Amino acid sequence: MILPKAMEDLITEFMRFPGIGRKTAERYAMHVINNFSLETTETFGNAILNIKKQIHNCPNCGLITDRELCQVCEDDIRDESILMIVESSKDVFSIEKSGEFKGVYHVLNGVISPMDGKGPEDINLSTLWPRITDNRVKEVIIATSSTQEGETTALYINRVLKDVDILVSRIGYGVPVGLNLEYADDLTLSKAIENRKKL
Amino acid sequence: MKINNLELYNFRNYSKQEIVFGKGVNFLIGENGSGKTNLLEAIYFLSLAKSYKTNEVNLIKYNSRFSRIQSNVTVNDKLQKLKVIITEKGKKTLINDVEVKKLSNYIGAINVISFLPEDLTIIKGSPKDRRYFIDLMYGQIDRQYLKELTNYKILLKQRNELLKKLSDSNIQDFTLLDVITEQLADSADLIVNFRRNFISNANGYLKKMYRFLSDNNKSFVFEYKPSIEKDFESQFKSKYKNDLYLKTTSYGPHRDDYDFVIENVLAKDNASQGEQRIMVLALILAISEIVYEKYNERPIFLLDDVFSELDSVRQNKLIKYLTELEAQTIITTTGLENIEKTIITQSKVFKVQNNTIREESQNG
């Protein structure tokens, strides 16, 4: 049978989310009809609206924020001499959770991948160079992932910075903490051996 | 390595079929079009998770939604259950009922060495045919090689896209091209070394195998002809102008070739059909020795229509050799007229007719 149009519309919208198929979208729509009060529905709708209206990339580092500058850039006690370059805002949230890093970030919002039509000019690099050359930055840590694209991006940044007098490093990749060596796959192990560290 | 049994469900023309193989030589006898090659294809698919033939949807029996290949195999005295499910959307591979998502972790669970009539094209065919053949054979023996090959192919694609972009837009900044070229050069270096070692290893066995099958003393070498031999980075970089003009990477392991050389003459220029068959067989037997070297187990031989163009002396020689190796072998043929009785009694014989398989009494 044909579903009411308003319900069909909502199902179509839910299906835009990753991992949501027709069946799940129908369940969600049914849930809204049966369990949401008008007030809840308004809050829900506004939350989606606001996220698009208020969230933007920090003009300084590219991290998503709802303020003029992001929390990290606004924070006076962060060490501006160390700058970590990451692929996405999500990576910043993960690293912040560890509490280990006290420097500042630069979020690229992507990696270089010519076959996906993404060159150096398509990721947030144009705002990176002036940040590095303004003399406050002494060390750059490149924390792109260890995929081919992440590796290319890291090497590219390193190459552009080769004549600038700062320390450039790459975060270590290898065996996860707490993992027994026998469960690590051979590629991870060879990476870990390659990236070994003096004790 | 042994395949103990094979269960097919809606695979090509088989609705439901089980076959229990013998540990040694297994003959599948049937007319052309009876469905014996489809059986070999199923085993091939079970091992490599891909077909040597057409697009994979055709593997599913007409009007069915999915097909399944399932088998109990013995590897290093350990029993394992392998399963491949093919649907229109794709395929799933399982070991002991646990899904293995990464194909490179599934391929190699069992090693098959196949001889198919189309393999004969590797002698007279294009370099691409030869590269495909070697990559397939070596890829299932060495997982590191398979991974590096995948890495190389991605880098190559990235570089070619970049060349297109640079050449179309007249950008003169080559920093990214330098970076990707260096990555590609590192990978190329590894691949050429892998291939060089593999081929030199194979040549160690090839002469003996060729002499055994051909009964002559001619020298036979399988030569590796890398497109770039060494100094990869500088070689790649010296060809920027050319690459930008052609908008593609014109040299590298993706342009490598191999030659079959008999008595210092290229086989592709003058070998007869029968000679070609012996050369390919010798190469396959040599590669199987490398598998044995590495795993201390014999791979499973899948030989499709191997007897045609071989005289009866050679047919018997080959089967005797495989029987003595104690390598599990599955051979399709139209008949066993030329095979000695004593060999047949040590083998298992199946009759394939209209896509049903029936075991024959052992001395039939």
Side-chain angles (χ1 to χ4, degrees):
Chain A
M1 77 168 260
I2 300 164
L3 296 174
K5 176 158 187 310
M7 187 179 174
E8 190 65 61
D9 287 349
L10 185 58
I11 291 169
T12 318
E13 294 309 316
F14 277 134
M15 279 167 71
R16 291 178 191 273
F17 287 99
I20 305 290
R22 172 95 203 165
K23 278 254 166 72
T24 315
E26 280 178 14
R27 257 183 64 214
Y28 286 4
M30 245 2 245
H31 184 80
V32 173
I33 294 166
N34 292 333
N35 303 354
F36 275 28
S37 65
L38 191 60
E39 206 189 348
T40 318
T41 317
E42 252 166 17
T43 321
F44 186 83
N46 284 333
I48 289 183
L49 215 54
N50 288 342
I51 206 166
K52 275 322 261 190
K53 279 186 183 159
Q54 292 168 11
I55 299 273
H56 59 96
N57 297 98
C58 171
N60 191 35
C61 73
L63 181 66
I64 54 168
T65 180
D66 55 359
R67 305 183 212 184
E68 201 183 320
L69 280 178
C70 73
Q71 278 178 28
V72 181
C73 292
E74 258 184 2
D75 193 343
D76 287 339
I77 57 167
R78 306 282 305 208
D79 183 355
E80 288 194 326
S81 68
I82 304 178
L83 185 131
M84 188 186 292
I85 301 170
V86 297
E87 280 175 30
S88 76
S89 296
K90 237 177 89 190
D91 298 333
V92 174
F93 303 145
S94 313
I95 296 164
E96 281 300 290
K97 239 186 259 168
S98 79
E100 201 53 43
F101 183 65
K102 302 282 185 266
V104 292
Y105 296 98
H106 193 83
V107 182
L108 297 176
N109 284 320
V111 276
I112 298 172
S113 176
M115 66 185 184
D116 299 309
K118 282 178 121 177
E121 62 286 354
D122 300 305
I123 60 175
N124 189 21
L125 283 172
S126 54
T127 54
L128 172 68
W129 314 130
R131 287 186 80 189
I132 290 171
T133 44
D134 78 352
N135 286 329
R136 264 177 297 176
V137 176
K138 303 238 168 358
E139 184 182 353
V140 168
I141 304 170
I142 306 174
T144 52
S145 49
S146 70
T147 57
Q148 176 271 315
E149 293 86 352
E151 210 58 55
T152 302
T153 309
L155 291 168
Y156 177 79
I157 295 171
N158 185 43
R159 183 64 48 91
V160 176
L161 295 178
K162 75 172 190 297
D163 297 324
V164 186
D165 184 28
I166 49 162
L167 184 70
V168 180
S169 59
R170 181 103 169 87
I171 60 162
Y173 287 95
V175 186
V177 174
L179 186 86
N180 203 322
L181 274 195
E182 61 178 309
Y183 298 119
D185 75 283
D186 35 9
L187 212 71
T188 308
L189 274 176
S190 60
K191 249 306 194 251
I193 293 166
E194 195 185 305
N195 296 332
R196 71 189 177 276
K197 183 163 122 176
K198 197 164 178 272
L199 279 175
Chain B
M1 278 166 220
K2 310 277 178 208
I3 298 184
N4 307 327
N5 75 333
L6 183 73
E7 284 173 57
L8 300 180
Y9 183 75
N10 288 341
F11 183 83
R12 288 210 183 265
N13 290 326
Y14 292 99
S15 313
K16 208 167 181 253
Q17 179 74 51
E18 193 189 351
I19 174 165
V20 178
F21 291 111
K23 285 184 171 16
V25 174
N26 296 269
F27 292 104
L28 300 172
I29 304 170
E31 311 270 302
N32 295 330
S34 57
K36 45 192 200 310
T37 302
N38 292 350
L39 245 166
L40 284 196
E41 189 186 15
I43 301 170
Y44 187 95
F45 205 101
L46 188 77
S47 163
L48 291 158
K50 68 175 165 194
S51 172
Y52 49 76
K53 276 186 178 166
T54 49
N55 94 53
E56 289 172 5
V57 181
N58 291 341
L59 298 171
I60 305 169
K61 190 173 189 282
Y62 183 67
N63 265 343
S64 310
R65 286 178 48 226
F66 69 95
S67 76
R68 187 178 63 218
I69 310 166
Q70 188 175 318
S71 171
N72 291 311
V73 300
T74 310
V75 181
N76 279 325
D77 294 323
K78 233 172 69 190
L79 198 67
Q80 278 196 323
K81 187 161 135 196
L82 301 184
K83 203 192 284 187
V84 181
I85 295 166
I86 309 155
T87 67
E88 275 175 41
K89 281 186 189 161
K91 58 202 164 190
K92 245 202 226 175
T93 47
L94 301 93
I95 298 178
N96 294 329
D97 291 317
V98 178
E99 186 174 356
V100 182
K101 289 235 159 104
K102 248 189 163 171
L103 272 188
S104 60
N105 288 335
Y106 177 85
I107 296 169
I110 47 165
N111 295 114
V112 296
I113 297 252
S114 59
F115 174 89
L116 311 166
E118 46 267 51
D119 285 341
L120 290 171
T121 60
I122 67 164
I123 294 180
K124 294 200 171 179
S126 69
K128 195 179 165 194
D129 294 330
R130 286 182 281 278
R131 281 194 301 270
Y132 181 81
F133 179 83
I134 293 301
D135 286 348
L136 190 75
M137 288 286 179
Y138 188 26
Q140 61 165 333
I141 303 173
D142 194 331
R143 228 157 57 90
Q144 300 286 358
Y145 176 68
L146 199 62
K147 283 193 169 159
E148 198 50 56
L149 206 57
T150 313
N151 186 36
Y152 181 81
K153 281 179 185 162
I154 297 173
L155 283 165
L156 185 66
K157 214 169 154 191
Q158 298 280 29
R159 189 174 191 268
N160 289 342
E161 283 304 319
L162 183 63
L163 286 168
K164 257 181 232 153
K165 204 175 130 191
L166 289 174
S167 135
D168 291 345
S169 64
N170 255 322
I171 300 172
Q172 292 300 319
D173 179 4
F174 291 161
T175 317
L176 183 57
L177 184 60
D178 281 344
V179 165
I180 292 184
T181 301
E182 285 157 29
Q183 285 181 290
L184 190 77
D186 284 346
S187 178
D189 196 344
L190 287 171
I191 285 177
V192 170
N193 265 317
F194 269 126
R195 287 181 180 165
R196 197 173 271 139
N197 285 338
F198 179 64
I199 298 306
S200 109
N201 219 343
N203 274 310
Y205 298 107
L206 196 59
K207 202 175 176 182
K208 193 180 111 199
M209 297 301 172
Y210 179 74
R211 188 171 299 173
F212 168 74
L213 287 169
S214 68
D215 263 333
N216 66 42
N217 270 326
K218 289 181 187 170
S219 71
F220 176 39
V221 190
F222 187 56
E223 259 176 30
Y224 178 38
K225 300 266 181 199
S227 155
I228 301 178
E229 301 239 7
K230 56 179 182 187
D231 303 328
F232 292 88
E233 191 181 321
S234 56
Q235 291 262 16
F236 276 120
K237 285 189 172 172
S238 69
K239 297 182 174 79
Y240 274 7
K241 228 179 127 188
N242 192 35
D243 285 357
L244 281 164
Y245 176 70
L246 295 168
K247 299 179 191 181
T248 188
T249 307
S250 37
Y251 295 87
H254 60 293
R255 295 282 165 88
D256 282 356
D257 199 1
Y258 306 86
D259 275 331
F260 292 81
V261 184
I262 289 231
E263 298 278 79
N264 300 320
V265 178
L266 290 181
K268 62 179 157 212
D269 295 336
N270 55 8
S272 73
Q273 290 284 330
E275 274 173 326
Q276 287 181 49
R277 194 165 282 257
I278 288 171
M279 280 184 255
V280 177
L281 270 172
L283 180 61
I284 283 170
L285 295 180
I287 291 172
S288 84
E289 290 297 317
I290 298 177
V291 177
Y292 185 67
E293 212 177 74
K294 182 152 174 144
Y295 294 103
N296 211 15
E297 278 210 280
R298 297 283 170 196
I300 297 152
F301 287 90
L302 304 178
L303 308 178
D304 192 10
D305 197 21
V306 70
F307 289 155
S308 43
E309 287 152 27
L310 285 187
D311 55 41
S312 70
V313 178
R314 294 210 169 84
Q315 290 182 13
N316 282 296
K317 249 186 155 173
L318 177 67
I319 300 305
K320 242 185 230 161
Y321 175 75
L322 292 167
T323 309
E324 278 160 21
L325 274 190
E326 293 182 1
Q328 191 180 37
T329 307
I330 298 157
I331 303 176
T332 69
T333 175
T334 45
L336 291 178
E337 305 78 37
N338 292 329
I339 306 298
E340 290 165 23
K341 269 260 154 56
T342 49
I343 298 179
I344 297 176
T345 51
Q346 293 177 57
S347 320
K348 227 173 166 177
V349 181
F350 299 90
K351 270 250 158 72
V352 186
Q353 216 163 20
N354 299 322
N355 295 294
T356 49
I357 300 157
R358 186 160 49 83
E359 197 182 327
E360 295 277 285
S361 62
Q362 294 212 339
N363 43 11

